């Protein structure tokens, strides 16, 4: 098995949009391609973000495989749409997810970092008592910006990124940061998985991480195929 999540910096819809060619961070994709070609593994697996069709098509052409588009929301309390190129399987059953919501993973009896919203604009009303939200810098007027709290319209958290303010939570009229345990749970990791590193590093690591239950759905197909292969060999 060769697996990778190459940098999204230059292909993300919110990123630099420089693509996968030339001297860009996202050009690291070609090293994944090179390794797969040289090693010829039984299985290979690549993850990346939702991106412009130009770059998605270029990766698909290079790998001779279209991506499987999945949202972690089926397995996690966060909205996290990703593209997966792989030869492990051509389909993942969405019915296996338990569709958790944000309030299911929160820690209530602990200290939290509450956000001062005094000078921040609420651009819409929260639909739920516990609501996922984010703090954005939005332009208004002429050459002016203001900090805006934007609420989700479902009961999920925003996609975790390397920036903490992209994933906040609104509870009973107040806004707070998600702590590291809550972020771990959104990625389906065990509590205290990141206890050996600082909070800032943990936020970045978890923002770049894979949602474990999603990856398990792919890899269980690999395990099944291997078991079938082994039993056939034994029978022969």
């Amino acid at each position: 098995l060769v697996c990778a999540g190459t940098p999204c910096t230059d292909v993300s819809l919110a990123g630099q949009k420089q693509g996968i060619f030339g001297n860009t961070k996202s050009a690291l994709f070609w090293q994944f391609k090179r390794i797969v070609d040289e090693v010829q593994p039984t299985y290979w697996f690549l993850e990346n973000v939702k991106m412009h069709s130009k770059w998605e098509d270029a990766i698909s052409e290079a790998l001779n495989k279209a991506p499987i588009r999945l949202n972690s929301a089926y397995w996690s309390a966060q909205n996290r749409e990703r593209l997966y190129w792989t030869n492990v399987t051509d389909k993942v059953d969405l019915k296996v997810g338990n569709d958790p919501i944000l309030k299911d993973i929160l820690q209530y009896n602990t200290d939290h970092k509450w956000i001062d919203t005094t000078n921040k604009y609420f651009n819409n009303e929260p639909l739920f008592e516990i609501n996922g939200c984010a703090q954005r810098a939005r332009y208004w007027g002429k050459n002016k910006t203001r900090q805006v709290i934007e609420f989700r319209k479902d009961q999920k958290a925003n996609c975790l990124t390397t920036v903490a303010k992209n994933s906040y939570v609104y509870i009973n009229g107040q806004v707070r940061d998600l702590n590291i345990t809550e972020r771990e749970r959104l990625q389906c990791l065990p509590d205290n998985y990141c206890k050996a590193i600082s909070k800032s590093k943990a936020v970045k690591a978890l923002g770049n991480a894979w949602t474990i239950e999603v990856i398990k759905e792919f890899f269980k197909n690999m395990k099944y195929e291997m078991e079938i292969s082994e039993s056939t060999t034994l029978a022969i």
Side-chain angles (χ1 to χ4, degrees), residues 89-197:
T89 184
D90 290 321
K91 185 178 180 181
V92 172
D93 185 4
L94 300 182
K95 296 180 180 178
V96 298
N98 58 0
D99 198 23
I101 59 177
L102 181 56
K103 70 177 184 179
D104 295 335
I105 63 92
L106 295 180
Q107 288 188 309
Y108 297 96
N109 298 319
T110 187
D111 291 333
H112 294 287
K113 178 184 176 183
W114 294 93
I115 308 304
D116 181 5
T117 59
T118 305
N119 297 315
K120 296 176 178 62
Y121 175 72
F122 285 25
N123 74 331
N124 54 15
E125 291 297 323
L127 299 178
F128 309 98
E129 183 179 346
I130 296 176
N131 215 123
C133 61
Q135 180 179 316
R136 315 283 192 198
R138 297 300 188 196
Y139 290 98
W140 65 282
K142 186 177 181 179
N143 300 323
K144 295 181 180 179
T145 62
R146 61 178 164 190
Q147 295 295 312
V148 176
I149 302 295
E150 297 180 344
F151 297 96
R152 293 190 60 79
K153 296 181 179 180
D154 56 19
Q155 297 189 72
K156 300 287 186 177
N158 280 337
C159 177
L160 293 183
T161 72
T162 58
V163 180
K165 68 179 183 179
N166 287 338
S167 302
Y168 282 165
V169 59
Y170 168 93
I171 303 178
N172 295 327
Q174 293 182 286
V175 175
R176 69 166 174 83
D177 191 4
L178 292 167
N179 65 28
I180 297 305
T181 298
E182 292 164 340
R183 290 172 183 270
E184 290 167 339
R185 291 175 181 179
L186 288 175
Q187 291 289 44
C188 305
L189 286 162
D191 290 1
N192 299 315
Y193 186 84
C194 295
K195 66 180 180 180
I197 59 178

Side-chain angles (χ1 to χ4, degrees), residues 5-235:
T6 51
C8 68
T9 315
D10 300 293
V11 295
S12 168
L13 296 176
Q16 301 295 322
K17 301 181 176 67
Q18 299 300 308
I20 61 172
F21 299 103
N23 187 27
T24 71
K25 292 181 180 179
S26 294
L28 192 62
F29 159 75
W30 297 106
Q31 296 303 318
F32 169 78
K33 164 70 173 167
R34 177 186 62 79
I35 292 169
V36 169
D37 289 345
E38 291 181 6
V39 175
Q40 292 289 302
T42 302
Y43 298 106
W44 53 266
F45 184 89
L46 175 72
E47 177 264 4
N48 214 309
V49 300
K50 186 170 61 173
M51 63 184 71
H52 191 284
S53 59
K54 177 180 180 180
W55 309 122
E56 179 181 330
D57 292 345
I59 293 173
S60 297
E61 181 179 356
L63 297 176
N64 195 29
K65 195 81 173 180
I68 297 174
R69 190 181 303 267
L70 287 180
N71 195 323
S72 296
Y74 290 101
W75 296 269
S76 165
Q78 71 166 317
N79 177 73
R80 191 181 188 85
E81 189 172 358
R82 290 293 185 267
L83 301 177
Y84 301 92
W85 288 265
T86 183
N87 70 342
V88 174
T89 184
D90 290 321
K91 185 178 180 181
V92 172
D93 185 4
L94 300 182
K95 296 180 180 178
V96 298
N98 58 0
D99 198 23
I101 59 177
L102 181 56
K103 70 177 184 179
D104 295 335
I105 63 92
L106 295 180
Q107 288 188 309
Y108 297 96
N109 298 319
T110 187
D111 291 333
H112 294 287
K113 178 184 176 183
W114 294 93
I115 308 304
D116 181 5
T117 59
T118 305
N119 297 315
K120 296 176 178 62
Y121 175 72
F122 285 25
N123 74 331
N124 54 15
E125 291 297 323
L127 299 178
F128 309 98
E129 183 179 346
I130 296 176
N131 215 123
C133 61
Q135 180 179 316
R136 315 283 192 198
R138 297 300 188 196
Y139 290 98
W140 65 282
K142 186 177 181 179
N143 300 323
K144 295 181 180 179
T145 62
R146 61 178 164 190
Q147 295 295 312
V148 176
I149 302 295
E150 297 180 344
F151 297 96
R152 293 190 60 79
K153 296 181 179 180
D154 56 19
Q155 297 189 72
K156 300 287 186 177
N158 280 337
C159 177
L160 293 183
T161 72
T162 58
V163 180
K165 68 179 183 179
N166 287 338
S167 302
Y168 282 165
V169 59
Y170 168 93
I171 303 178
N172 295 327
Q174 293 182 286
V175 175
R176 69 166 174 83
D177 191 4
L178 292 167
N179 65 28
I180 297 305
T181 298
E182 292 164 340
R183 290 172 183 270
E184 290 167 339
R185 291 175 181 179
L186 288 175
Q187 291 289 44
C188 305
L189 286 162
D191 290 1
N192 299 315
Y193 186 84
C194 295
K195 66 180 180 180
I197 59 178
S198 68
K199 178 179 178 179
S200 61
K201 289 183 178 180
V203 167
K204 291 182 178 180
L206 292 166
N208 283 325
W210 290 346
T211 309
I212 299 306
E213 289 301 319
V214 177
I215 307 306
K216 284 168 63 177
E217 286 303 312
F218 280 101
F219 283 12
K220 78 177 184 183
N221 289 288
M222 182 177 66
K223 182 174 183 292
Y224 174 75
E225 292 293 337
M226 292 176 68
E227 289 173 347
I228 292 295
S229 176
E230 290 172 359
S231 63
T232 302
T233 303
L234 290 172

